[in-house]
Amino acid sequence: MAATAAPDLAIGGVTVHRVIDMDPFVLPLNFILPQAERAVLDAERALLKDHVDFDANTILLAVQSHLVRAGGITILVDTCVGEMKPRPRRSEWDRRAASGYIARLAAAGCRPEDVDVVLCTHLHVDHVGWNTQLRDGRWVPTFPKARYLMGRADLDHWTAEAARDPAVNHGSFADSVLPVIESGQADRVDPGHVVADGASILPLPGHTPGQVGLDVETASGTRLVVCGDAIHTPVQVLRPEWSSGFCSDPTQAAATRRGLLERAASDDVVLIPAHLRAPGMRVRRPGGQFRPVFCGCDGAAQD
Ligand SMILES: [Zn+2]
């Protein structure tokens, strides 16, 4: 058996592996951040070099899961794009195959049956894909022994949206959420729900109505927050008011992001945004302005 890859973060008995589904995932700057001003990015070329293609004027994201081992259990946060899903409106996602995702999960020492909990921070198409896979013409849960946690408010919202228009959110509700509910493996959770010893559900509304994160306390006292799309890119640490073009309530999303950044700066929390092309980041506030500082695998800020 191949050696298990070292975790991307290992802090106080908690480990996190990034499991890549697609990297980079490239979006035009003003498509993802309609309010973005290029001059703000240009002033931070060194800081943002892995997160912005300055020549192409695009934002670079990873579509990935975070495999968190905490409190004695294995938690997979967000499940990316998946395979074989009909996504005609985005060709790079449409019925894709041979992504290598399950092999990369194995490299992190995890088989699908080893996942205890799948947490969907929200139910956007690029966060639910590997919830299910195609078996004998049917969509079945990829993680056979897992409980799948979904924020109650998000599930209520997307259930209503999909009933109104099945094509909404690239049609992902029918192939990536509904089969999990029908298998009996889905749990609706509310903020404060305890996922494991030291790990609980954090409300992060605005990007979607019921987005949640995973708030993890480690034995060393450092906290980690896996924060979904509350932050898409470190650019938004520099300008928290720039919500994405995909946010259901951009004003609320910005308020949630600012609150998260204030907490991270004051309590030295390690933030793990879903699409971050780095293990994690801490937040500094020199002169009152937020700045991201990327972390090494021990979680130490690389200032
Ligand atoms: Zn999203």
Side-chain angles (χ1 to χ4, degrees), residues 122 124 126-127 207-208 211 229 232 246 275:
H122 61 297
H124 273 164
D126 56 324
H127 294 256
H207 176 62
T208 61
Q211 182 178 239
D229 288 357
H232 277 90
F246 320 123
H275 296 295

Side-chain angles (χ1 to χ4, degrees), residues 106-194:
C110 184
R111 301 165 301 172
E113 59 267 37
D114 297 327
V115 175
D116 298 304
V117 169
V118 174
L119 171 62
C120 300
T121 60
H122 61 297
L123 301 182
H124 273 164
V125 58
D126 56 324
H127 294 256
V128 297
W130 279 105
N131 278 3
T132 59
Q133 57 188 343
L134 200 55
R135 282 273 182 276
D136 302 323
R138 291 179 53 232
W139 296 110
V140 300
T142 305
F143 308 100
K145 297 180 181 172
R147 301 305 305 175
Y148 285 67
L149 310 187
M150 303 177 189
R152 185 184 306 276
D154 227 49
L155 189 52
D156 287 349
H157 171 77
W158 291 108
T159 300
E161 286 289 291
R164 185 179 58 77
D165 175 8
V168 77
N169 200 7
H170 294 257
S172 56
F173 193 85
D175 57 43
S176 301
V177 177
L178 204 52
V180 177
I181 296 171
E182 290 173 348
S183 77
Q185 287 177 252
D187 292 331
R188 292 165 168 78
V189 294
D190 294 304
H193 174 88
V194 175

